[in-house]
Amino acid sequence: MHLRGLVAGIALALGAMFAAGAFAQAKPETLVDNRQAAMKLMGKYFYGSLAPMARGRMPYDAGVAARNVGYLDVLSKMPWADFAPSTKDTKSEALPAVFSEPAKFKDAQDHLQQQVSKLSEIVKAGNEAEVKAAILAVNDSCSSCHDSFRQKR
Amino acid sequence: MHLRGLVAGIALALGAMFAAGAFAQAKPETLVDNRQAAMKLMGKYFYGSLAPMARGRMPYDAGVAARNVGYLDVLSKMPWADFAPSTKDTKSEALPAVFSEPAKFKDAQDHLQQQVSKLSEIVKAGNEAEVKAAILAVNDSCSSCHDSFRQKR
């Protein structure tokens, strides 16, 4: 390889490393902040509205339910990548099982997303009783995962 | 009205007030937390990925761009209701103009959502140069609103 080519190759490689390093390897604290933000917003739309509607503790509003299920469908995809191994020792409510039982944690994520997908379909069909039952199924998925992977509150 | 009817009516009215009050009137601190969570996630997907891709500081990935624009489209609807008048004196980066110039603030929100909607259409068409230009247009909308309504960082 000519010297010029070698230098250019090294420069390119360094550039790529810099780009990847600058953006892909966020600080553990940033990852925790971001995943907590996604969880907080899921809580806002789920526990603050969908769950109380399903339990009859808040008047059922089909428009709000459809909107919030749409939000939840997107939000429920966001937190998982931020449970990176680099955050294992960062202060948060995550239990060690998140990192010691990744396959089980992944199953719990998948289960939530399946339940939310079902709820998304059901909310489009618009049968209130079915929507409420599907919301409660999502609630079970939240609770089950929290029981195994989040500190008791 | 018979006494029994009156008592039942009062009980119903109190129940409705309780339900509305318990869920609709979140504490100002909670509203600020929630809107900051939405802003944080917009920052994650926009400043952490879309903007650097548009500026050539990160390799362009059409799949990631499409996914993150989809996230942004939903996230950009979330913060605004939480800039409630009740949060006027709660510690945050919001400038007083948020509350003293609500029409101008609403225009800035609408402008962002229009730019994000355009970006959503453009990302579906898939022309990289057009996607990048539309990302930078969203960036202008973010910056312009931050200049007027957020404390300098």
Side-chain angles (χ1 to χ4, degrees):
Chain A
M1 188 188 263
H2 289 289
L3 182 62
R4 188 179 294 179
L6 183 66
V7 169
I10 290 172
L12 260 179
L14 285 174
M17 282 167 65
F18 176 77
F23 295 108
Q25 299 189 359
K27 287 184 201 167
E29 292 74 15
T30 304
L31 297 176
V32 169
D33 280 352
N34 286 338
R35 75 192 194 207
Q36 288 179 341
M39 291 289 190
K40 187 183 291 287
L41 291 171
M42 283 201 268
K44 171 183 177 181
Y45 297 107
F46 190 77
Y47 295 119
S49 151
L50 294 169
M53 279 188 203
R55 294 186 179 119
R57 294 181 193 163
M58 201 174 190
Y60 184 77
D61 181 321
V64 171
R67 188 201 67 173
N68 289 4
V69 167
Y71 286 178
L72 192 68
D73 192 36
V74 172
L75 291 168
S76 65
K77 296 175 172 67
M78 294 183 185
W80 317 119
D82 291 337
F83 285 91
S86 66
T87 63
K88 194 165 72 71
D89 299 315
T90 309
K91 186 174 153 50
S92 83
E93 290 181 293
L95 290 176
V98 164
F99 306 101
S100 63
E101 300 185 65
K104 194 180 158 202
F105 186 46
K106 179 70 168 59
D107 283 348
Q109 298 162 24
D110 292 345
H111 186 259
L112 171 68
Q113 291 189 275
Q114 285 156 15
Q115 297 303 313
V116 173
S117 293
K118 277 188 200 168
L119 172 56
S120 298
E121 292 306 311
I122 288 169
V123 88
K124 279 171 201 149
N127 178 306
E128 181 179 327
E130 289 177 10
V131 172
K132 288 179 171 179
I135 290 171
L136 295 177
V138 170
N139 188 67
D140 288 346
S141 184
C142 299
S143 302
S144 157
C145 189
H146 290 159
D147 285 348
S148 299
F149 295 105
R150 189 182 71 177
Q151 288 169 17
K152 299 278 170 285
R153 287 184 168 173
Chain B
M1 189 189 257
H2 289 288
L3 182 62
R4 188 180 294 178
L6 182 67
V7 169
I10 290 172
L12 262 177
L14 284 174
M17 282 167 63
F18 176 76
F23 295 108
Q25 300 189 357
K27 286 185 201 165
E29 292 74 15
T30 304
L31 297 176
V32 169
D33 281 352
N34 285 338
R35 74 194 193 205
Q36 288 180 340
M39 292 289 189
K40 187 182 291 287
L41 290 171
M42 282 201 269
K44 171 183 176 180
Y45 297 108
F46 190 76
Y47 295 118
S49 151
L50 294 169
M53 279 188 204
R55 292 188 180 117
R57 295 182 191 162
M58 200 174 188
Y60 184 77
D61 181 321
V64 171
R67 189 201 65 172
N68 290 4
V69 167
Y71 286 178
L72 192 69
D73 191 37
V74 172
L75 290 168
S76 65
K77 296 175 172 68
M78 294 184 186
W80 318 117
D82 291 337
F83 285 91
S86 66
T87 64
K88 193 166 73 72
D89 299 316
T90 308
K91 186 174 155 46
S92 83
E93 290 180 292
L95 290 177
V98 164
F99 306 100
S100 63
E101 299 186 65
K104 194 181 159 202
F105 186 45
K106 179 70 168 58
D107 284 347
Q109 299 163 24
D110 292 345
H111 186 259
L112 171 68
Q113 292 189 273
Q114 285 156 14
Q115 296 304 315
V116 172
S117 293
K118 276 188 202 167
L119 172 57
S120 298
E121 291 308 310
I122 287 169
V123 88
K124 279 170 201 150
N127 178 306
E128 183 179 325
E130 289 177 10
V131 172
K132 288 179 171 179
I135 290 170
L136 295 177
V138 170
N139 188 67
D140 287 346
S141 184
C142 298
S143 300
S144 157
C145 188
H146 289 159
D147 285 347
S148 298
F149 296 106
R150 190 181 72 175
Q151 288 170 16
K152 298 279 171 283
R153 287 184 166 173

